[in-house]
Amino acid sequence: MTQHLADARPTSTGTQPGWWRDAVIYQVYPRSFADSNGDGMGDLEGIRSRLPYLKELGVDAVWLSPFYASPQADAGYDVADYRAIDPMFGTLHDADAVIREAHELGLRIIVDLVPNHCSDQHEWFKQALREGPGTALRERFHFRPGRGANGELPPNDWESIFGGPAWTRVADGEWYLHLFAPEQPDFNWEHPAVQDEFRSILRFWLDLGADGFRIDVAHGLVKAPGLPDLGRDEQLKLLGNQVLPFFDQDGVHEIYRSWRLVLDEYAGDRIGVAEAWTPSADRTALYLRPDELHQAFNFHYLNTGWDAEALRSTIDESLDSMRPVGAPTTWVLSNHDVVRHRTRFGSLERARAAALLMLALPGSAYVYQGEELGLPEVVDLPDEVRQDPSFFKANGQDGLRDGCRVPIPWSGDQAPYGFGTGGSWLPQPAEWAGLSVEAQTGDPASTLELYRAALQVRRAHPALGAGDAVEWLPAPEGVLAFRRGDFVCTANTTAQPVRLPAPGTVLLASTDLTEPDVLPADTTVWWQG
């Protein structure tokens, strides 16, 4: 048991308390962060040893992707035991040590929770298979008889996110639903035992000191009554906004209202963060009403390209949708499911400019491990090392999520670059030697030092952090300019320098400025206005 972290600093909103309203939250993908025992796989002790780095970087909280006991059919998102640690990552004692030491450093810890589905090795599911059709344990999942003369056809036409039918038939003839891999059976959230179990799991981790939960597939728990056919031949998207009978059903909100009651039992502002892919920002806002969750990932922003008009529209829509429910807007450029934004945007210069733009916006920001190093996507991984389940499904997703999960470089001039003594589970490119933490530390031109400086300014400047609005300023085509109090941000998304009167004194710039009234191509500048 750990003593819970007190608020490290007052919120900048004044009237609306809550550390999450302006927090910068760093996502750690445990298997790719730091390896303490030389087995080529990152672990909890590795994370604990690198917490001082995260403190120095200037983030407020750390979100840990799953480390639970799991057969690893989907990189730990197939959970066999929500209260146990997978041996590849360590022990429950190691998890406690991470939380305790993070709190001592003034960092908060958010753990990943996977409530839509579990592993087919979860004891409930194994018992359901043993007990057979019509038994109570089967009601905790979605077991159905098949269609066709002999039940040989799936119960409906739903497809898995990873490709192929969303149903698998078992030996006794029934089928079970899995929106993801066959090894990930979906829970039936209409069953009281499922609801009770997850409230208990919440309390288990809250008792251990966790500051909150990132809720995987938060939009998927409730399915439309009767599990109706989709009725169209359409490949599903892992990161999409389609209107579907198994995503973003209104019934999810009753679940999160019950979770909020649990979170509010604990001191210290414990939070819930929804991974909710919805058709619109307004639908996302419904998850964040005052009696539900605290934050949701802003995937609409993540999916917006490096284009001033599109960015301004998304920023306005995001802020407008959160304002009625009083929730902070979140901003994110990369995560463990998408191509790194340096590669998506086409250059390091654009990635640096995008980072400064994101960190200037009102609300909370997420940083994915390695983006502060300017890491590109690894696009040339050999097929034999890939582990993304969707890579092996011919009609599934692109299967390229491994490229953003390559272990990050810490030091040295050859792989594994200080990640550990035993190599790395995915190969690291030779050109990463110049991108390591060691290589970039102290270099004022490095991306790492840009992030450190930006987070320091963001923490210190009273106009930055929490808020729900920006004041747009006149700007040439392709340029964004906005004011927040006495702070001004200008971002040139074009490939050409643009003449723009300096609105004040330069606080920070993503590239060198040779003339104060010229904004270089693909550059963001922070000004004291």
Side-chain angles (χ1 to χ4, degrees):
M1 189 74 65
T2 62
Q3 183 175 5
H4 194 71
L5 177 70
D7 280 338
R9 60 190 173 104
T11 177
S12 55
T13 59
T15 58
Q16 291 182 304
W19 61 270
W20 69 90
R21 291 188 173 275
D22 59 359
V24 176
I25 300 172
Y26 186 98
Q27 180 188 358
V28 165
Y29 194 68
R31 61 172 58 201
S32 299
F33 192 65
D35 171 20
S36 71
N37 60 7
D39 66 356
M41 188 71 66
D43 48 45
L44 288 167
E45 174 58 23
I47 293 169
R48 189 200 61 76
S49 71
R50 296 295 188 177
L51 289 173
Y53 164 77
L54 299 177
K55 175 66 174 178
E56 182 184 2
L57 181 61
V59 301
D60 301 291
V62 182
W63 153 33
L64 303 175
S65 290
F67 47 73
Y68 308 106
S70 166
Q72 304 295 321
D74 184 21
Y77 283 94
D78 50 317
V79 180
D81 188 340
Y82 292 85
R83 298 176 182 84
I85 308 301
D86 195 282
M88 75 162 60
F89 298 126
T91 66
L92 194 59
H93 175 77
D94 295 324
D96 178 73
V98 169
I99 295 171
R100 182 174 62 251
E101 189 155 329
H103 288 173
E104 290 171 356
L105 290 169
L107 297 168
R108 289 177 167 85
I109 294 291
I110 296 171
V111 297
D112 219 313
L113 190 64
V114 189
N116 179 71
H117 48 261
C118 63
S119 166
D120 61 356
Q121 297 306 303
H122 190 286
E123 192 55 43
W124 279 11
F125 190 74
K126 291 195 295 182
Q127 188 175 349
L129 290 182
R130 289 194 301 267
E131 294 192 0
T135 56
L137 262 292
R138 290 216 169 177
E139 294 177 4
R140 298 180 183 183
F141 301 92
H142 294 280
F143 278 91
R144 296 288 188 277
R147 297 193 288 195
N150 299 303
E152 71 277 9
L153 300 176
N156 67 21
D157 66 358
W158 294 0
E159 283 195 359
S160 160
I161 301 298
F162 290 152
W167 297 89
T168 290
R169 198 176 193 186
V170 301
D172 56 44
E174 283 201 329
W175 299 72
Y176 69 88
L177 176 68
H178 53 85
L179 292 181
F180 292 85
E183 297 88 350
Q184 295 169 290
D186 280 42
F187 284 114
N188 174 14
W189 271 89
E190 294 181 6
H191 198 291
V194 175
Q195 300 182 28
D196 290 345
E197 171 68 354
F198 273 89
R199 284 192 292 266
S200 174
I201 292 167
L202 291 175
R203 290 189 176 96
F204 178 87
W205 288 102
L206 291 167
D207 287 342
L208 203 66
D211 297 281
F213 302 90
R214 177 266 189 185
I215 303 160
D216 183 63
V217 196
H219 55 300
L221 277 55
V222 173
K223 281 65 174 175
L227 309 185
D229 279 343
L230 188 60
R232 58 184 185 271
D233 183 15
E234 179 180 6
Q235 174 56 46
L236 307 179
K237 298 297 184 183
L238 175 64
L239 309 179
N241 58 1
Q242 297 140 298
V243 177
L244 299 164
F246 44 79
F247 281 165
D248 194 36
Q249 299 294 305
D250 288 339
V252 298
H253 300 292
E254 181 179 348
I255 295 169
Y256 296 131
R257 280 190 285 271
S258 75
W259 286 19
R260 180 60 177 263
L261 295 174
V262 175
L263 292 168
D264 288 348
E265 292 172 9
Y266 291 79
D269 284 336
R270 318 295 181 98
I271 71 167
V273 182
E275 184 208 29
W277 290 91
T278 69
S280 68
D282 288 340
R283 290 292 300 180
T284 300
L286 296 178
Y287 292 75
L288 308 177
R289 287 174 287 194
D291 61 346
E292 292 192 41
L293 302 174
H294 300 75
Q295 284 188 353
F297 292 116
N298 188 345
F299 294 121
H300 305 287
Y301 186 75
L302 185 150
N303 284 328
T304 303
W306 186 239
D307 174 84
E309 183 177 355
L311 284 164
R312 177 167 174 168
S313 176
T314 299
I315 292 167
D316 281 341
E317 179 187 6
S318 300
L319 292 168
D320 289 348
S321 64
M322 295 297 114
R323 202 174 294 118
V325 294
T329 306
T330 64
W331 313 100
V332 60
L333 293 169
S334 287
N335 64 31
H336 65 292
D337 279 332
V338 299
V339 172
R340 287 187 176 274
H341 67 270
R342 171 177 172 174
T343 299
R344 292 203 321 272
F345 290 159
S347 71
L348 178 60
E349 290 73 24
R350 287 182 176 179
R352 289 165 58 96
L356 283 196
L357 174 61
M358 175 183 77
L359 293 170
L361 294 170
S364 176
Y366 281 79
V367 173
Y368 177 52
Q369 66 176 45
E371 76 171 72
E372 79 278 14
L373 304 177
L375 296 185
E377 185 82 359
V378 181
V379 296
D380 56 354
L381 288 170
D383 290 356
E384 60 267 21
V385 305
R386 293 188 178 275
Q387 298 192 24
D388 182 354
S390 60
F391 178 75
F392 304 98
K393 299 287 187 180
N395 63 339
Q397 300 301 303
D398 294 335
L400 299 178
R401 293 183 298 167
D402 290 317
C404 64
R405 299 175 178 183
V406 175
I408 66 174
W410 291 95
S411 60
D413 57 7
Q414 58 185 356
Y417 306 115
F419 170 69
T421 59
S424 60
W425 68 282
L426 288 173
Q428 301 155 300
E431 57 269 23
W432 278 17
L435 297 177
S436 72
V437 172
E438 180 183 60
Q440 296 195 46
T441 295
D443 177 1
S446 73
T447 301
L448 175 58
E449 294 298 350
L450 177 71
Y451 269 77
R452 285 173 170 163
L455 293 176
Q456 183 177 21
V457 173
R458 190 181 191 275
R459 181 181 293 269
H461 201 292
L464 290 176
D468 64 3
V470 298
E471 176 192 351
W472 293 107
L473 303 175
E477 184 176 358
V479 175
L480 293 171
F482 62 83
R483 177 184 297 278
R484 299 183 62 196
D486 58 355
F487 169 89
V488 175
C489 177
T490 56
N492 181 6
T493 67
T494 75
Q496 302 297 326
V498 174
R499 190 164 295 279
L500 188 69
T505 305
V506 174
L507 290 171
L508 193 60
S510 63
T511 56
D512 290 334
L513 303 181
T514 55
E515 302 176 59
D517 59 346
V518 174
L519 189 61
D522 295 322
T523 296
T524 297
V525 182
W526 289 1
W527 307 84
Q528 180 66 40

